[in-house]
Amino acid sequence: MNLKLLYFARLRETLGISREVFTLDAPATVADLLDHLRARCGVWTTELAVERNFRVAVNQEMANASTALNDGDEVALFPPVTGG
Amino acid sequence: MNLKLLYFARLRETLGISREVFTLDAPATVADLLDHLRARCGVWTTELAVERNFRVAVNQEMANASTALNDGDEVALFPPVTGG
Amino acid sequence: MKITVQTETFDLNAEVAALHRNNPSVGAVASFLGTVRNESGQVSAMALEHYPGMTEKALSAIVQEAQTRWAVIDATVIHRIGPLAPCEPIVLVAVACAHRGDAFAACEFIMDFLKTRAPFWKKETTADGGQWVDARDSDETATQRWRKPCH
Amino acid sequence: MKITVQTETFDLNAEVAALHRNNPSVGAVASFLGTVRNESGQVSAMALEHYPGMTEKALSAIVQEAQTRWAVIDATVIHRIGPLAPCEPIVLVAVACAHRGDAFAACEFIMDFLKTRAPFWKKETTADGGQWVDARDSDETATQRWRKPCH
């Protein structure tokens, strides 16, 4: 399945990417996706480490590691929010 | 001693007076003053009955029955406040 | 601190700007605007009476108490008196702080005490004539919840 | 309900008037204005990034949750994005209700959830370059206190 990945704020800058299409075998969860991204090594491994504080939204709703992914989903990775 | 009495809002209208100078023997408390005012009978007795809901301020600060009065004090009687 | 009792209306933008004064420590302004309600459709006008002298003292004491409880940078209280039409503004309380928690708490505290401790009285005019508004028990309850616990 | 994400500033008077709309049921408008702080004197500018699409959804969900909890007549949320100078307004939350208790609670609830659930990120510019602002634990704590007790 194809996922549309979006990166925001500090993560976007550190990872050096704002969006990409990512292909992943179904079935998969957010945890599976993160494992694949960490396998890119370097900043991907350190920035997306389990103990790092970041958030994942699937189709513009807050998600967690066990959220299931489907073909065409929009998955966003970003730091804790700081607006207001 | 001479007291300057002020009446506000519903009490002012019901008692038919907005201000007066009242002479009272010292020492006296708010309770003593109220007893003298109730002795005027009629609306004075009913409006200032102990069970009626009204407030007393002495020199522009909220007071109670035991507050002591001194010559020249400004004593105000009024209903519970309803601003805001 | 600005405490004003006035017959004329006020300008929210101007009051908030004057309170903020481009002070870079201010990050939060909480404000409350009270307006004349006319839920029944029967109220043609309202009149506000007050106790000149005591009103300003009472409002100052309330704001000062808020300043001892929260990190208030500045605060404004404006209360109108005299005749008012439905929907017109009655009261403005605005509080500037570094952070929002202090601003919300101080603003609500000032309003709760204004409602029960500041000598204002409302009289509504309907087709039946004038009627003094009764105090609400819920206002006293709102004030009581700010009591500090005993030590 | 009005939810807006915009680069330009906003007018407090106009927003409150539009929210109140001379509705005689409205007796209370609580509002919160957040401005760019510069306590250190080091911040020359701030930039706000957001997640278009999700931002509006998240803000709508927060306001709708507030409407299920309190008697909200209408609410407005405006959040600015892009470059901002110190002291400039960032966010406005205004809530119109019949009574002040609902207005204060709903306004503070919306701000607390906006701070932790709406996808905005602040970046400060100082002489040393750009620095993403860190999330504050106190904001998450403020959000958690709105949790409903279990039954």
Side-chain angles (χ1 to χ4, degrees), chain D residues 1-107:
Chain D
M1 190 201 318
K2 172 180 173 179
I3 307 277
T4 307
V5 178
Q6 63 188 42
T7 51
E8 60 273 24
T9 192
F10 43 79
D11 181 86
L12 194 54
N13 279 344
E15 296 304 330
V16 169
L19 186 66
H20 192 293
R21 277 197 313 274
N22 283 334
N23 178 341
S25 298
V26 174
V29 179
S31 57
F32 178 84
L33 176 71
T35 57
V36 180
R37 291 171 69 223
N38 180 19
E39 201 121 54
S40 65
Q42 306 294 305
V43 178
S44 57
M46 175 172 277
L48 258 297
E49 179 172 329
H50 81 126
Y51 179 177
M54 180 171 171
T55 313
E56 295 79 357
K57 275 192 200 177
L59 293 175
S60 293
I62 292 166
V63 173
Q64 280 167 25
E65 173 66 19
Q67 287 174 318
T68 68
R69 292 187 181 214
W70 297 283
V72 172
I73 294 174
D74 202 1
T76 293
V77 178
I78 302 177
H79 201 297
R80 294 178 70 192
I81 51 170
L84 297 172
C87 298
E88 274 201 81
I90 304 173
V91 62
L92 173 69
V93 174
V95 179
C97 298
H99 301 292
R100 75 186 183 286
D102 287 329
F104 276 115
C107 188

Side-chain angles (χ1 to χ4, degrees), chain C residues 32-63:
Chain C
F32 178 85
L33 177 70
T35 57
V36 179
R37 291 172 66 224
N38 181 18
E39 201 121 54
S40 65
Q42 307 295 302
V43 178
S44 57
M46 174 171 277
L48 258 295
E49 179 173 329
H50 81 127
Y51 179 177
M54 181 171 172
T55 314
E56 294 80 358
K57 274 192 201 178
L59 293 175
S60 293
I62 293 166
V63 173

